[in-house]
């Protein structure tokens, strides 16, 4: 049975697109059952609709968390996938999907993460600091921003001529390759959390 994914996204949705493309190509055994977000007209919601996937905009308001939770209960995902989702997940929803909710961050956590560290700001901070490598982190979602257990990390070199935009583009390319690959590990049931560590089991056919 394909892994049921709910994707939460506030932005352009290129990571969502990479997931949809991997599913279409047969390299990811999953189905996106919901795309939801807090930004009306977000590219991600548009991409979902174009792919025939249910897309829901949840407007700002006191009932935001309850509405998100209700959508997740209704669509019953195996895994909740944050892809450029610029909102903290409520503690109730974190508890409900503990170790079944992942995020992708465009740097090597715990460096260059936390509140306010999103989008181009991350790459600006990396260049300002003078770091020689950056990268991509996929991690479990917990009650704090960019804090849960690391599932996978890939490094990306910072080049002498980089500006925030060129660095962001190269990091994004890695994100698009890594996220579907990690989601396939979940589809194969190979991801296990042991305290602060995530262990990826060998493939059964190896
Ligand atoms: C990505 O860089 C992702 O790592 C971060 O937000 C950005 C989303 O980009 N969490 P997109 O909307 O998937 O194009």
């Amino acid at each position: 049975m394909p892994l049921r994914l709910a994707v939460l996204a506030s932005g352009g949705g290129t990571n969502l697109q990479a997931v949809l493309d991997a599913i279409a190509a047969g390299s990811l055994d999953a189905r996106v059952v919901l795309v939801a977000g807090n930004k009306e007209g977000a590219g991600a919601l548009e991409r979902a609709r174009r792919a025939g996937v249910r897309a829901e905009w949840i407007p700002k308001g006191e009932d935001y968390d309850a509405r998100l939770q209700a959508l997740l209960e209704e669509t019953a995902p195996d895994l909740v996938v944050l892809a450029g989702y610029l909102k903290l997940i409520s503690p109730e929803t974190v508890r409900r999907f503990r170790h079944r909710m992942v995020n992708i961050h465009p740097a090597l956590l715990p460096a260059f993460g936390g509140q306010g560290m999103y989008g181009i700001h991350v790459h600006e901070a990396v260049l300002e600091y003078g770091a020689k490598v950056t990268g991509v982190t996929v991690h479990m979602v917990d009650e704090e921003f960019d804090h849960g257990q690391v599932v996978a990390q890939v490094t990306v070199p910072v080049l002498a001529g980089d500006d925030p935009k060129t660095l962001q583009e190269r990091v994004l390319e890695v994100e698009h390759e890594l996220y579907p690959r990690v989601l396939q590990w979940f589809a194969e049931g190979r991801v296990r959390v042991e305290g602060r560590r995530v262990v990826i089991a060998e493939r059964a056919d190896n």
Side-chain angles (χ1 to χ4, degrees), residues 7-8 30 45 52 59 76 80-81 87 111 115 164 169 186 191 197:
V7 178
L8 306 185
L45 296 178
V80 179
V81 177
K87 225 175 138 31
Q115 191 154 21
E169 276 162 22
F186 281 92
V191 181
R197 284 189 162 186

Side-chain angles (χ1 to χ4, degrees), residues 17-36:
Q17 192 64 55
V19 169
L20 291 169
D21 291 349
I23 292 171
S27 56
L28 173 55
D29 184 20
R31 187 156 90 83
V32 180
V33 295
L34 172 72
V35 175

Side-chain angles (χ1 to χ4, degrees), residues 10-14 16-17 39-48 50:
S10 311
T14 64
L16 166 68
Q17 192 64 55
K39 288 273 186 298
E40 193 180 12
L45 296 178
E46 203 34 62
R47 286 175 195 268
R50 232 180 290 140

